[in-house]
Amino acid sequence: STRYIAPAPTPTPMTSPTSTPRDTASLYHAAGTQAFPALLAVGISAAAWATLIVVGVAAVFGGLDLTVAIAMGQLAMVAVPVIAARVGRRHAQAIGLARAPWQYAVAALLIGASTWYINVRLVELLQLRSETAALEQLVDESSLGITLLAIALAPAVCEEIVFRGVLLRGLATRFHATFAIALS
């Protein structure tokens, strides 16, 4: 007896929402996976923000260092879409997490390593020293690992997961790409 094997699905093009209502194109990370519906994506994003605030404030009132409190709040923020994806039985790609080609990782490291110098020069040129004094004190008082987590790594991960992974992909199931990008 012969067995029928269905052909692999065709990758989605880089356009606004596809014919499948909840699928979003590769422009929004992880093509071919199920995005959250727009209203649910907004709710998940709002819940993530609320979690960031509640956990961060609770950590500060609990006597933790401000940098540690910021890091804890951001990690809790990311937990909301991760839990929503697990509860909804969605893959990590549904919140925008997909393995990037190694060239992208190298490019990101090179860009990140080189832009700090531009940032320092802009602060000096615009004479923003008094505005950055509180941030400098915060950085000086905490360990390097916690500072990098709270100020560099966690905000970037939170932004990608909450705004691009959940909110943008969800809005793109209902609105045109340009409008979804502007809203997110």
Side-chain angles (χ1 to χ4, degrees):
S1 81
T2 60
R3 210 169 103 198
Y4 174 75
I5 299 175
T10 308
T12 55
M14 286 186 63
T15 60
S16 194
T18 61
S19 58
T20 307
R22 290 189 183 170
D23 279 352
T24 54
S26 59
L27 175 63
Y28 312 108
H29 298 285
T33 60
Q34 295 289 308
F36 291 100
L39 190 57
L40 182 57
V42 169
I44 291 169
S45 299
W49 272 104
T51 302
L52 166 74
I53 294 166
V54 168
V55 170
V57 169
V60 168
F61 283 131
L64 293 176
D65 178 64
L66 182 59
T67 310
V68 173
I70 291 169
M72 286 179 61
Q74 291 170 342
L75 293 174
M77 179 185 202
V78 168
V80 172
V82 169
I83 291 169
R86 295 289 298 219
V87 168
R89 299 185 192 275
R90 299 177 194 282
H91 295 284
Q93 294 144 335
I95 58 172
L97 296 178
R99 186 180 305 267
W102 67 269
Q103 298 94 328
Y104 293 4
V106 170
L109 287 173
L110 291 174
I111 291 169
S114 61
T115 56
W116 71 268
Y117 182 76
I118 295 169
N119 188 30
V120 167
R121 292 295 171 215
L122 283 173
V123 167
E124 288 177 359
L125 179 67
L126 299 174
Q127 299 176 354
L128 297 175
R129 276 289 180 218
S130 62
E131 286 83 1
T132 61
L135 182 60
E136 288 176 16
Q137 180 182 359
L138 184 66
V139 169
D140 290 340
E141 291 176 357
S142 300
S143 71
L144 179 61
I146 293 294
T147 300
L148 288 175
L149 176 67
I151 296 175
L153 183 63
V157 171
C158 288
E159 177 187 347
E160 288 299 315
I161 291 175
V162 174
F163 292 108
R164 287 190 180 189
V166 175
L167 189 59
L168 177 59
R169 286 174 45 83
L171 291 173
T173 63
R174 181 147 176 104
F175 302 108
H176 185 271
T178 306
F179 190 63
I181 290 168
L183 282 176
S184 72

